[in-house]
Amino acid sequence: MRRGAKYRRISDDREGRELGIARQDEDLDELGEREGVVWVADYVDNDISASTRSSKPRPDYERMLRDAKAGQFEVIGAYTTGRLTRRPREHEDLIELAEKHGTEFVYIKSPSFDLNTSAGRRIARILAANDAGEAEDIAERVQRDVRRRAEAGEFHGGQVPFGVTPVWGTKRVRGREVPRIIDFNLDAEHVAWLDDGADRLLNGETIYGLCKSWNDAGRRTDAGNLWEPRTLKRIYTEPAIIGKREYGGKLVPAPWPAMIAETKWHRLRILLLDPDRRTSETNQRRYELSGLVFCCRVINGKACGTRLHSNANGTFECPKMQGGCGRLRIAMEHLDRYVVDMLFYRADEVREALTVVAPDTDDIERDLRAALVADDEALRTVADERDDGKIQKPEYDRRRTRIEDRMATTRAKLAAIVRTPANMPTGTELRRVWNERDVTWRRTMFGMFIQRIDIGPHPTNPDTGRPLASAPSRRRGETEEAWRERFDLARAHILAQRVTVTWAA
């Protein structure tokens, strides 16, 4: 009895049941009895192609060749020569194995031949050429079918996208009924999530903020998992969400309807695929009004004009070390509350006045975002030069301020482009979600509506010259409600004299 090794392979195990492998095993057992071979080794590559176009490795095939060279067996058995390989180059390896190590090959459906003879090698090479040609014919037929299905909008397999529900049925294949997806329906609830989320992203919400909002509301993926930014970003940037798929560098119909408008999807791709959305110095703000607040205290007949800096003690202050007057400060909490109320009213006014932006603004928007990316990199470069001692702090502050001013102008232009009736939130919508959103989203809303906020000195009493009281004391017998109302009015009166908001055009 000769020692032998079984090699079994199937290229396409669609059901994942290895039925083809099992059938080959039974036939090889019968072959071993006829040929006087006892199988001492077994090698299996399941669902792996051996064609000339495949680059997928076959680990058991490679291991079998090494074991044959080591003399662990003298015979290799397979269903056909094509089960071993369809690659002419690999056939030459098998010929070398026969010549140098005396290995024999036996097949169930292919003729067996002695590779140690010239006639046997000639037959092997002819069969190898035929196998390679057959494999390429199959590949071309498959490719033609893939193209036909793509152009016809038929399902091409793979995972069904979020928002789409497959309809299962059966199809008769080779005499038996096989389960197949026969149609698709949209999940109305999930589609509503996607459409609302698209509007929120276009309104300035971050992917992270949207994921957090959905997770907090108990919304989950199809697999029941929490939402992650990379998952949601992929859903919004792939064409499946508009009922299309990409084939041959162009969009072709998918077998399900669109879940959001195509124009909205193009805007989302511009927004989400821009590198400007990466975590950077310019979008890691801890305070939502940072970068928008300026000192307008008059010094020697001229407004200071320095950007106020936020401090950990809860105030915006004019930085003397950066060329400011150093004599102005305002509480962030009170300023924020005052400006937010103004923002809500302004949002309603803008929504009523806006007209639809012409559809040729995508290139302009892309250029503006590119400018933000460049300026963000310039900020990093300036910071690096300061850290390396190449520039001193005054020069660093001057250059940083100039870049930040330029970025503020760019953001204002960008906001004017994306502000359309479909995308701009109303004051009512902002009030409803304001406290649920993160600082980045609220900062984006402020930047969308506000160009700058100028802060003047605390007002004084014209009769006494003393600063007006910003927190009036409670009167004897005055109720808490009455005092709170008077307190809020007094503070609003002072802020109205100190704060000037320049709205984005």
Side-chain angles (χ1 to χ4, degrees):
M1 297 289 285
R2 295 173 295 170
R3 295 176 302 166
K6 297 179 183 178
Y7 180 73
R8 296 169 291 154
R9 180 184 62 79
I10 184 171
S11 299
D12 187 6
D13 185 14
R14 295 188 178 183
E15 298 176 37
R17 297 167 60 188
E18 300 188 0
L19 295 180
I21 294 294
R23 287 193 292 268
Q24 291 179 42
D25 190 38
E26 296 171 1
D27 293 339
L28 283 169
D29 285 341
E30 295 178 3
L31 178 66
E33 293 179 5
R34 293 197 307 269
E35 297 288 339
V37 175
V38 57
W39 303 116
V40 297
D42 193 8
Y43 303 90
V44 176
D45 285 318
N46 191 41
D47 202 17
I48 299 177
S49 173
S51 75
T52 57
R53 296 178 181 271
S54 174
S55 59
K56 193 174 182 180
R58 292 186 290 156
D60 261 23
Y61 177 81
E62 298 296 335
R63 186 165 62 89
M64 179 183 67
L65 297 185
R66 291 194 300 269
D67 292 347
K69 293 176 182 178
Q72 296 185 18
F73 42 82
E74 297 81 35
V75 179
I76 293 177
Y79 193 78
T80 64
T81 57
R83 290 298 93 188
L84 273 178
T85 183
R86 294 180 183 275
R87 305 169 185 170
R89 288 183 180 179
E90 289 185 352
H91 268 286
E92 294 299 322
D93 294 334
L94 299 181
I95 291 174
E96 181 181 344
L97 192 64
E99 290 180 321
K100 290 186 176 181
H101 302 277
T103 306
E104 299 179 36
F105 298 88
V106 294
Y107 305 99
I108 297 169
K109 293 295 184 181
S110 295
S112 299
F113 39 83
D114 186 357
L115 292 181
N116 285 302
T117 66
S118 62
R121 291 192 289 272
R122 184 183 303 112
I123 294 173
R125 290 183 173 112
I126 292 172
L127 290 176
N130 288 336
D131 285 340
E134 181 182 352
E136 293 182 2
D137 288 342
I138 292 173
E140 289 181 359
R141 289 197 299 270
V142 169
Q143 189 62 34
R144 284 196 299 270
D145 187 58
V146 169
R147 182 172 63 249
R148 180 195 61 78
R149 285 187 283 116
E151 293 173 349
E154 297 178 4
F155 186 49
H156 60 95
Q159 185 176 359
V160 176
F162 182 78
V164 176
T165 302
V167 179
W168 286 89
T170 60
K171 181 179 180 181
R172 194 164 188 81
V173 178
R174 297 175 182 174
R176 60 192 181 97
E177 295 295 326
V178 178
R180 288 287 188 270
I181 296 175
I182 59 175
D183 200 0
F184 299 89
N185 293 326
L186 294 186
D187 185 312
E189 181 181 20
H190 289 175
V191 170
W193 295 0
L194 293 172
D195 195 48
D196 174 67
D199 289 337
R200 287 166 63 172
L201 291 171
L202 290 173
N203 284 338
E205 189 160 353
T206 62
I207 282 282
Y208 172 81
L210 186 59
C211 284
K212 184 177 185 302
S213 173
W214 282 13
N215 291 334
D216 291 345
R219 297 178 178 181
R220 297 293 183 264
T221 67
D222 283 334
N225 299 323
L226 293 173
W227 287 99
E228 296 183 359
R230 64 177 180 272
T231 302
L232 200 55
K233 179 179 179 179
R234 184 176 64 250
I235 288 174
Y236 275 117
T237 54
E238 290 185 349
I241 199 171
I242 57 168
K244 294 185 178 180
R245 56 178 287 233
E246 187 173 355
Y247 178 78
K250 63 180 181 180
L251 296 181
V252 296
W256 51 78
M259 290 172 268
I260 66 172
E262 187 168 346
T263 54
K264 187 181 295 185
W265 177 70
H266 284 295
R267 298 186 69 82
L268 280 171
R269 283 180 59 84
I270 292 173
L271 180 69
L272 298 178
L273 297 180
D274 263 359
D276 185 40
R277 291 184 65 85
R278 70 183 185 274
T279 301
S280 67
E281 177 181 341
T282 57
N283 58 25
Q284 288 182 335
R285 300 188 183 277
R286 295 177 58 193
Y287 307 106
E288 50 209 44
L289 289 178
S290 294
L292 293 175
V293 189
F294 295 82
C295 174
C296 67
R297 187 182 186 92
V298 177
I299 306 295
N300 297 325
K302 183 180 179 181
C304 175
T306 304
R307 190 190 308 274
L308 301 189
H309 282 202
S310 55
N311 291 326
N313 61 7
T315 62
F316 280 116
E317 298 182 3
C318 184
K320 189 172 184 179
M321 294 295 294
Q322 297 183 20
C325 66
R327 298 170 58 187
L328 185 139
R329 69 178 58 188
I330 189 169
M332 288 189 288
E333 179 184 357
H334 303 314
L335 175 63
D336 181 83
R337 188 181 304 122
Y338 178 73
V339 176
V340 164
D341 287 336
M342 297 176 68
L343 174 67
F344 293 157
Y345 289 109
R346 178 67 178 180
D348 285 329
E349 293 175 354
V350 171
R351 183 65 174 266
E352 293 178 0
L354 279 175
T355 57
V356 177
V357 177
D360 59 351
T361 58
D362 284 353
D363 290 342
I364 300 175
E365 183 175 346
R366 188 179 295 108
D367 291 343
L368 290 174
R369 294 190 185 280
L372 286 176
V373 172
D375 280 338
D376 182 59
E377 186 61 33
L379 279 178
R380 291 174 179 273
T381 300
V382 169
D384 289 342
E385 291 178 358
R386 175 71 177 93
D387 293 339
D388 295 340
K390 296 180 179 179
I391 58 174
Q392 299 303 310
K393 194 172 188 304
E395 173 67 8
Y396 164 71
D397 292 336
R398 183 187 66 80
R399 290 171 61 180
R400 190 185 73 169
T401 299
R402 186 177 63 186
I403 296 170
E404 288 180 340
D405 288 346
R406 188 166 64 233
M407 295 180 78
T409 302
T410 303
R411 286 196 183 95
K413 292 178 180 178
L414 186 60
I417 288 177
V418 301
R419 292 189 308 159
T420 69
N423 292 335
M424 291 294 288
T426 64
T428 301
E429 292 168 345
L430 289 177
R431 287 185 183 91
R432 178 172 55 83
V433 301
W434 190 264
N435 293 328
E436 302 173 4
R437 300 292 190 258
D438 58 17
V439 170
T440 300
W441 180 85
R442 293 197 294 265
R443 175 61 177 79
T444 303
M445 288 299 101
F446 279 127
M448 183 179 291
F449 288 92
I450 296 174
Q451 183 174 336
R452 62 183 287 151
I453 302 170
D454 289 302
I455 308 297
H458 195 94
T460 58
N461 187 316
D463 297 328
T464 64
R466 295 180 178 179
L468 291 176
S470 57
S473 58
R474 187 171 176 178
R475 296 168 180 168
R476 182 178 298 178
E478 188 176 28
T479 64
E480 174 73 20
E481 182 180 357
W483 172 74
R484 176 54 62 184
E485 181 178 356
R486 191 163 56 84
F487 181 96
D488 291 341
L489 286 173
R491 176 152 290 161
H493 176 69
I494 291 173
L495 288 172
Q497 297 181 65
R498 297 193 66 187
V499 179
T500 302
V501 176
T502 303
W503 300 101

